[in-house]
Amino acid sequence: MYIDRYAVIGNPIAHSKSPFIHTHFAEQTGQAMEYERLLAPLDGFFDAVTAFRREGGRGFNVTVPFKLEAYAICDERSPRAELAGAVNTLLFRNDGSIYGDNTDGVGLVSDLAFHGVTPRDRRVLILGAGGAVRGVLAPLLQTQPMELVIANRSPEKAIELAHTFADMGLVHGCGYETLNGHAFDLIINGTSASLGGELPPLPEDVLSPGGIAYDMAYGKDETPFQHWARAHGAAQALDGLGMLVEQAAESFQLWRGLRPDTRPVRESLNALR
Ligand code: NDP
């Protein structure tokens, strides 16, 4: 039997949970497909894509550090990928063209909804101004928060991002010191600080009493940001594993035209922690 092939391409890639997630989705929906990890050399993304396509690849996900290169190789992109300036899901079309999408933002908003968190009319703070934050800003602003503040270690990047998305809502960019004296209902950590066991320099009172904290990073243990949030009275301190599952479901739908149920995969991943 012919089996459609999909993959996640990145460097490093050994840690990726995407094959586990997509294999579950395929079993659940009865799709004949396989999904593998592909390590591309840092200067070899295009060659890896070409080889995968030649070997029968139908589509693939992209992770660090190739999301901008993935954007560049697409013939057509979804509006949300255009806004994000980065692509994490690609589809090889039958006419030979490549279509690109960015499902990170909808993954975050879906995961927040799964946990009963609605950014609408809330004061929202997002930390970081890298690729992940860029990808989630449009879907986040579409939920209509009261205000959205982007704080970054290099403030100019946050200010530039705020300008780029200014016509979608009330959005400001700043450095961490500007946060003194301000409190937020929802704080989303979109920095890579957690990966190095670090915490962005947050003022003590920046989380409103009973506010919600969300770290896009995830791991076996609670991240430093989740730990900080619990110590500062957070009602919920969530990590990004659910975002990973939800963005995968969105990619799966683009490739297969079916929406998998994410709950069983969430449960399996949580049991494996
Ligand atoms: P980038 O490298 O593009 O950006 C990193 C950002 O983190 C920059 O804004 C950088 O600031 C900031 N930063 C790094 N170290 C620190 C620190 N010690 N203190 C304060 N700020 C710091 O990374 P990405 O945007 O691609 O990824 C960010 C995070 O999001 C990662 O943890 C990644 O795993 C996670 N992610 C999770 C996903 C999911 O599905 N759950 C999907 C995509 C990403 P500066 O600009 O000043 O250098």
Side-chain angles (χ1 to χ4, degrees), residues 183-256:
F184 296 86
D185 309 311
L186 169 61
I187 305 182
I188 299 167
N189 183 15
T191 73
S192 48
S194 295
L195 303 180
E198 290 173 15
L199 181 71
L202 293 168
E204 286 295 308
D205 53 0
V206 72
L207 183 65
S208 297
I212 291 160
Y214 189 103
D215 199 333
M216 287 197 215
Y218 53 84
K220 207 166 168 43
D221 303 315
E222 201 168 75
T223 69
F225 176 68
Q226 283 177 287
H227 187 74
W228 176 91
R230 284 194 204 286
H232 288 77
Q236 291 187 77
L238 306 164
D239 77 5
L241 194 59
M243 173 179 170
L244 182 77
V245 175
E246 295 296 338
Q247 65 78 28
E250 194 78 6
S251 299
F252 190 89
Q253 183 163 18
L254 176 75
W255 293 327
R256 310 302 298 183

Side-chain angles (χ1 to χ4, degrees), residues 47-260:
D47 289 346
V49 173
T50 309
F52 182 59
R53 182 181 213 171
R54 203 173 42 232
E55 291 157 11
R58 297 291 304 273
F60 62 101
N61 286 126
V62 177
T63 187
V64 175
F66 299 126
K67 289 185 187 178
L68 298 184
E69 279 182 81
Y71 179 91
I73 65 166
C74 294
D75 299 295
E76 190 189 338
R77 303 172 200 97
S78 65
R80 61 192 181 191
E82 292 285 356
L83 269 170
V87 156
N88 76 335
T89 306
L90 297 94
L91 168 70
F92 296 126
R93 286 168 158 164
N94 291 337
D95 65 3
S97 65
I98 302 180
Y99 180 76
D101 196 0
N102 189 315
T103 64
D104 283 337
V106 73
L108 171 67
V109 172
S110 300
D111 191 39
L112 288 171
F114 179 89
H115 291 285
V117 180
T118 38
R120 190 184 173 94
D121 297 332
R122 303 282 187 101
R123 292 180 196 282
V124 180
L125 170 63
I126 190 157
L127 312 174
V133 168
R134 200 180 172 95
V136 303
L137 283 178
L140 210 47
L141 283 163
Q142 279 159 357
T143 66
Q144 301 183 318
M146 185 188 298
E147 66 165 342
L148 179 60
V149 173
I150 309 166
N152 195 43
R153 193 169 58 174
S154 320
E156 66 282 358
K157 286 197 213 165
I159 292 164
E160 194 221 305
L161 267 189
H163 278 303
T164 306
F165 289 84
D167 58 357
M168 293 192 70
L170 193 57
V171 49
H172 309 283
C174 63
Y176 286 100
E177 62 296 337
T178 311
L179 299 175
N180 282 312
H182 298 274
F184 296 86
D185 309 311
L186 169 61
I187 305 182
I188 299 167
N189 183 15
T191 73
S192 48
S194 295
L195 303 180
E198 290 173 15
L199 181 71
L202 293 168
E204 286 295 308
D205 53 0
V206 72
L207 183 65
S208 297
I212 291 160
Y214 189 103
D215 199 333
M216 287 197 215
Y218 53 84
K220 207 166 168 43
D221 303 315
E222 201 168 75
T223 69
F225 176 68
Q226 283 177 287
H227 187 74
W228 176 91
R230 284 194 204 286
H232 288 77
Q236 291 187 77
L238 306 164
D239 77 5
L241 194 59
M243 173 179 170
L244 182 77
V245 175
E246 295 296 338
Q247 65 78 28
E250 194 78 6
S251 299
F252 190 89
Q253 183 163 18
L254 176 75
W255 293 327
R256 310 302 298 183
L258 291 163
R259 184 82 191 175

